[in-house]
Amino acid sequence: MTERTAAHIPTGWDGVVDVTESDGWRQPWRLPPRRLATAFSPELTEHAVVPTGVRIGVVTDAPELSLSLRSTPVWTPRPRAVDVFVKGELSQSLPVGAGAEELIVRLPGERSEVQLWLPHRGAITQVGPISVAASATIEPAPATGPRWITYGSSITQCLVTASPSETWPARIARRYGWRLLDLGFAAQAYLDPFVARTIASRPADLISVELGPNLYIRGPFTERSLGGLAAGFLETIRDAHPDVPVVVFSPPVWVEREHEPNPHELTLSGVRELVENVVRVLQGLGDGNLHLVPGDELFGAADAGLTIDGLHPDAAGDALLAERFGPRLAAVLAGSAVQVPAGGPAGRPASEPVR
């Protein structure tokens, strides 16, 4: 049996707000665990420990690497995976089960940068030791590139796409070399002040905010409350990041529900109009670095065939979102503006219940 040496590589984490340790297992968090009680939402806490967009980066000359994981399902079981990138290219996608297990990652055996994308859906995931042969070297990989924070609902967490590196935020981050912090929380994007303060507290070069269908589904807000809360959410972020571009996109089209009133008599199209008006009001008050991408242009009625239910994009829908949204974000970061391409996904390849 090959003698191994193990290390936790604590500085190799990226896409996290915090990492805690208990009994030799490290828990990545996408929200600050010590302050989560202020959200008064067990559901949001449940999402905060699901490592959507979380990566571990190492540099090693080992021919293989052993990754210990412990998974605790929190939703209906769905296929999950760790995506392995070697020198920037996808090398393996390793299936992940429940409970404790050891994944063996095959490597070139020469000094290479390795990035491990943890499972983005379905389970709390804890990380144990990362082991390599005793004769090999291993160290944390340097984290480089602009820091991008993206916030939203299941549209941003991307629970349909099976691969953690193929969600639309992951696709964009990989394409442009950005350091992603994915704050997508399925059915929990309710303008929580706690989340706004989290975004305000993190270093960022670019911020995108999905003010999406959660503002409509189940009627969490009235017309009176929604506009002010959305404005306050954005102003909390702006106060902490006065010079960082912030891009807002409003709800995508949900054909079956566009004009159906929720319990507070708001339609999805009405929520979209209100969100876009909030952005225009803040722009009119002098926020020249706040940008709007209308959701019906980003993912419209013609794209419904790339969803599982008329709203949530499938894997091909995520690819289309990345193709449309990525250039807009890149242009904003570069200080210019581009138009979102119009039209549907004709000719494009197509691919849990999502909450």
Side-chain angles (χ1 to χ4, degrees):
M1 181 175 178
T2 302
E3 183 181 357
R4 293 182 178 275
T5 183
H8 277 297
I9 318 297
T11 56
W13 292 89
D14 209 357
V16 296
V17 168
D18 198 0
V19 179
T20 57
E21 183 175 356
S22 177
D23 299 325
W25 293 94
R26 288 184 176 259
Q27 175 65 66
W29 296 83
R30 294 188 295 132
L31 290 171
R34 294 170 184 83
R35 301 290 301 176
L36 262 166
T38 67
F40 292 91
S41 171
E43 294 84 2
L44 187 59
T45 298
E46 183 180 273
H47 281 285
V49 288
V50 175
T52 305
V54 175
R55 294 89 63 205
I56 300 173
V58 300
V59 176
T60 183
D61 56 7
E64 69 177 33
L65 175 152
S66 172
L67 172 67
S68 298
L69 292 183
R70 185 167 69 180
S71 303
T72 306
V74 291
W75 310 319
T76 302
R78 297 163 175 167
R80 300 163 58 248
V82 170
D83 284 351
V84 181
F85 283 76
V86 179
K87 298 181 180 179
E89 299 294 329
L90 181 64
S91 171
Q92 297 170 265
S93 188
L94 302 173
V96 175
E101 60 187 314
E102 183 180 35
L103 302 183
I104 302 300
V105 179
R106 308 298 178 189
L107 299 173
E110 60 185 28
R111 186 173 171 83
S112 305
E113 183 168 333
V114 180
Q115 192 175 62
L116 308 169
W117 287 75
L118 298 184
H120 70 296
R121 62 182 188 175
I124 300 168
T125 302
Q126 297 170 304
V127 179
I130 296 174
S131 304
V132 296
S135 58
T137 62
I138 185 170
E139 62 193 58
T144 60
R147 295 175 181 263
W148 171 37
I149 301 174
T150 188
Y151 165 77
S153 67
S154 56
I155 302 295
T156 297
Q157 194 173 7
C158 306
L159 298 185
V160 178
T161 295
S163 171
S165 67
E166 295 297 319
T167 68
W168 68 258
R171 284 175 173 269
I172 292 173
R174 292 191 295 105
R175 175 179 177 181
Y176 294 102
W178 297 343
R179 294 182 61 186
L180 168 67
L181 174 59
D182 189 333
L183 299 183
F185 306 110
Q188 295 301 313
Y190 287 149
L191 304 175
D192 292 278
F194 166 66
V195 178
R197 290 195 301 272
T198 298
I199 297 171
S201 71
R202 306 300 299 171
D205 300 292
L206 174 67
I207 297 168
S208 58
V209 177
E210 174 215 327
L211 299 185
N214 283 178
L215 306 183
Y216 160 78
I217 297 171
R218 304 185 188 94
F221 304 109
T222 65
E223 184 174 3
R224 163 65 180 82
S225 62
L226 177 54
L229 289 170
F233 190 91
L234 294 173
E235 289 187 295
T236 296
I237 295 170
R238 174 56 72 219
D239 287 346
H241 296 290
D243 301 317
V244 173
V246 177
V247 181
V248 175
F249 73 91
S250 57
V253 170
W254 189 359
V255 175
E256 294 84 354
R257 302 286 296 274
E258 276 293 292
H259 305 293
E260 180 180 327
N262 70 10
H264 290 298
E265 299 300 316
L266 280 171
T267 64
L268 183 62
S269 61
V271 169
R272 185 181 304 112
E273 182 178 352
L274 199 159
V275 164
E276 293 172 4
N277 191 45
V278 167
V279 175
R280 294 186 184 102
V281 166
L282 294 177
Q283 289 172 330
L285 290 173
D287 192 339
N289 217 0
L290 179 65
H291 308 267
L292 172 65
V293 177
D296 55 352
E297 295 182 20
L298 192 61
F299 205 82
D303 306 313
L306 296 185
T307 70
I308 62 165
D309 56 7
L311 174 65
H312 295 93
D314 60 18
D318 269 355
L320 179 63
L321 264 172
E323 182 179 318
R324 288 178 173 169
F325 200 29
R328 166 61 74 91
L329 291 172
V332 166
L333 184 59
S336 60
V338 297
Q339 296 299 314
V340 176
R348 299 188 184 281
S351 137
E352 30 173 62
V354 177
R355 303 187 297 165

